[in-house]
Amino acid sequence: MSLVVGLGIILSSVVWAKNPNMAVSKRDSNGDGKVSLDEWDKPEFIFNKIDFNGDGFITAQEFAKKWGVPMPGGSLTNKSISDAGSLDESKTIIADVHMHPMSQSPIDQLTWMNKNGVKWAGLGAMRRSNVERYRNIMGDRYIPFGGQGAMNEIYFQHGTDGVEDEHNEMFEAMMEELEASFEDEKIKGIGEIFANNRTTNPRPDFRRKTRIDAPTYRAMLDLVDKYGGAMSMHVQWDHDSIEQLGVLADHNPNGNIIWAHCGNDGSAYDVRQVLKSHLNIYCDLSARSKPKLSDWVINKRPRAEIFTSYSLNGSWQDLIEEMPDRFMVGTDTKGGSKYDKGIRAIRNGLLANLSQETAEKVAYKNAQQLLDLH
């Protein structure tokens, strides 16, 4: 490894390790925006050294003071739910069906949503504890999905063979957990499942290509059918994967599939054929515009961009108007400024170029009906 690359990795690790917001969010299991001794994962004497005011909690500000680093701008980590403001309903409300609970706090997320008129938002989490945190703080405004973190764990331990093996012990345990969560009404669906993201994930360790009609995915689709809701699947546009997606959909026509990113870079013509042939597949239009799509990605895969901050591709406009019940929106981004830009693009580039009836369906009514949102 070269000295430059080595230093880059080291510096990257230091920056991550000394991010005050991350230090809180990765430990904050109850979502109150601070770390208690019960949530602390190191010796108590270290906790006491960081808890400068001795109130029994560590805040992001105290982590920053301990490390001698500035607080990242705009953080609401130390605030209460009342600081998130109220939902702006001056425009058509939005259901964001592709929001992963990650390093941002639930209060931060609510603040961005309220400001932008987003009534509901959610999907699966990389870490299972995050789902509980978001549910506790956001209540019915969070759309909880299960299974994403567990399926990633199976992949990291057993590879694609494990992901496709319905008799894998980890998969069987996950299915029991998912069924219990459905029975207790703790989740609305399963996913996002990375079934084929071999070139569309920025993290090489997350990239994989599996059989979309594997027994595991069939079992999950059957579970979705049993309890309602949907299964969110990331399936990029490889012809064999799309064929297998059709086989999976036909396996159980009553099991609903949300096709994450609508195939990533599939054309309107291609997507139309899939939706016409399989009535249980719905399109999530996240990551089909900036800011989630970078200039570099758009230059490399120009078909990926469906709408901009002011315009909508004509062929996609025709498709969405033709099948208004089959599309939903999502941001797949975090951070106040990026979230703002993502919602503005949805409003001004996508929804503004659709008929009012179609725009309302795409903005929230389709998600509301499919996922039983209240």
Side-chain angles (χ1 to χ4, degrees), residues 273-308:
Q273 307 314 306
V274 174
L275 298 186
K276 286 176 66 176
S277 300
H278 310 287
L279 301 182
N280 56 337
I281 296 180
Y282 298 80
C283 258
D284 149 20
L285 294 170
S286 65
R288 301 302 301 260
S289 67
K290 293 181 179 179
K292 181 63 178 181
L293 284 181
S294 66
D295 289 331
W296 182 85
V297 171
I298 294 172
N299 288 333
K300 183 180 179 182
R301 298 189 286 116
R303 291 201 315 180
E305 188 178 39
I306 292 174
F307 56 95
T308 70

Side-chain angles (χ1 to χ4, degrees), residues 176-245:
E176 290 182 6
E177 181 179 338
L178 287 173
E179 181 145 25
S181 295
F182 271 122
E183 288 180 346
D184 294 339
E185 298 184 346
K186 290 184 176 181
I187 57 175
K188 297 287 188 180
I190 300 173
E192 178 190 10
I193 302 301
F194 294 141
N196 178 356
N197 65 340
R198 65 180 182 85
T199 64
T200 51
N201 196 294
R203 290 183 52 175
D205 57 326
F206 269 77
R207 296 174 190 162
R208 71 205 70 159
K209 181 175 181 177
T210 62
R211 285 197 61 83
I212 314 304
D213 57 348
T216 47
Y217 300 142
R218 294 181 185 226
M220 285 189 278
L221 190 61
D222 289 341
L223 192 63
V224 163
D225 173 33
K226 181 177 179 180
Y227 290 98
M231 178 177 173
S232 173
M233 300 189 74
H234 185 124
V235 183
Q236 69 180 62
W237 196 272
D238 290 352
H239 287 291
D240 56 342
S241 291
I242 301 306
E243 290 178 3
Q244 293 161 13
L245 177 62

